[in-house]
Amino acid sequence: MPASAAPTPARPRPLVAGNWKMNGLEASLAEIAAMAGGYDDALRGRVDLLVCPPATLVGAAVAACAGKLAVGGQDCHPKASGAHTGDVAAEMLADLGAAYVIVGHSERRADHGESDAVVKSKAEAALRAGLVAIVCVGETEAQRRAGEMLDVVGAQIAGSLPAGASARNLVVAYEPVWAIGTGLTPTPADVAQVHGFIRERLAAALGEDGAGVRILYGGSVKPSNAAELMGVANVDGALVGGASLTAKDFLGIAAAYRSQ
Ligand code: PEP
């Protein structure tokens, strides 16, 4: 085979992940059961689904999913145990049957002052516990206006990626802070630029494995814009906040993959 005809790496299997944030009581488990019920064979053949409820519901969500959807946490402590009142260890999430954990969400970076070093230590805790780490990155509106978007995302990637990362244990979510919960989204061209940049950085950090790491887009994804956003190069799924709270909208977003 001539060098120019080297096979393009296979596109990673897409993942649509729901981040419930601080929403959800026991009654909300009915939505998770409905998600599992609506995750039909055709959809299962094309996309992975994950729901990340608050820590209080992780165990019950695992039961409600009946093995169909994966369940994840929204944060974890770097340590496996100890005197850290109110925190949850990655091992505790794994013990409940979680398979993923989100780390470095912009709300935690802002509300709890989490630095890249802290996010990295949490991602390493996830790997230690056998979880897949979803590492979130993204620029603020002011940083985008100042033209610092790629510098900010590049620094977050460099500072937050866990040692030992691979395509099997790492997902990166690009979430422009100004798009979260606002109804605003970047243009597909902007998303393509940042996702392409993240892919390059992953390849530089992880070699061939960088091509297999899923890069999710997050920020005001809805059923009505999912197909366009999920069709952008190097977008391997979505991290969804508000629209993941109901089975109807969450499955409506996943349905973008029926035609991809
Ligand atoms: C999020 O918080 O991860 C998110 C993407 O929220 P929303 O979809 O509501 O913008």
Side-chain angles (χ1 to χ4, degrees), residues 8 28 46 60-61 73-75 89 130 141 146 156 168 180 196 208 213 216 236-237 246-247:
T8 9
S28 321
R46 290 174 178 265
Q74 298 175 13
D75 178 49
E141 190 179 7
Q156 288 173 329
R168 283 167 309 288
I180 294 178
E208 277 184 17
V213 173
L216 311 184
D236 308 308
T246 65

Side-chain angles (χ1 to χ4, degrees), residues 19 21 105 107 175 179-182 218-221 239-243:
N19 171 16
K21 312 192 186 194
H105 190 281
E107 287 154 12
E175 299 205 302
I180 294 178
T182 58
S220 296
V221 179
L239 181 54
V240 186

Side-chain angles (χ1 to χ4, degrees), residues 35-132:
M35 290 171 189
Y39 187 31
D40 58 33
D41 288 346
L43 216 44
R44 210 170 305 140
R46 290 174 178 265
V47 58
D48 289 338
L49 295 188
L50 162 69
V51 61
C52 300
T56 50
L57 290 180
V58 165
V62 169
C65 283
K68 292 193 175 163
L69 273 68
V71 176
Q74 298 175 13
D75 178 49
C76 65
H77 192 277
K79 299 244 172 77
S81 63
H84 303 288
T85 304
D87 278 314
V88 174
E91 281 77 1
M92 293 171 177
L93 296 169
D95 190 44
L96 290 175
Y100 291 75
V101 62
I102 299 167
V103 293
H105 190 281
S106 60
E107 287 154 12
R108 291 208 60 89
R109 289 180 186 262
D111 295 355
H112 300 271
E114 291 188 4
S115 63
D116 288 332
V118 167
V119 175
K120 177 178 176 168
S121 66
K122 291 183 171 200
E124 288 174 349
L127 273 44
R128 180 190 67 220
L131 301 177
V132 177

Side-chain angles (χ1 to χ4, degrees), residues 168-252:
R168 283 167 309 288
N169 61 23
L170 175 69
V171 173
V172 173
Y174 168 57
E175 299 205 302
V177 177
W178 53 272
I180 294 178
T182 58
L184 302 172
T185 52
T187 64
D190 285 344
V191 174
Q193 182 192 15
V194 182
H195 278 238
F197 171 79
I198 293 172
R199 181 69 70 207
E200 281 170 20
R201 290 297 163 107
L202 289 171
L206 306 178
E208 277 184 17
D209 241 29
V213 173
R214 290 178 286 190
I215 308 174
L216 311 184
Y217 167 76
S220 296
V221 179
K222 303 176 281 227
S224 57
N225 63 16
E228 182 177 44
L229 289 164
M230 299 305 102
V232 173
N234 287 305
V235 173
D236 308 308
L239 181 54
V240 186
S244 72
L245 291 170
T246 65
K248 182 171 172 284
D249 283 350
F250 191 57
L251 291 170

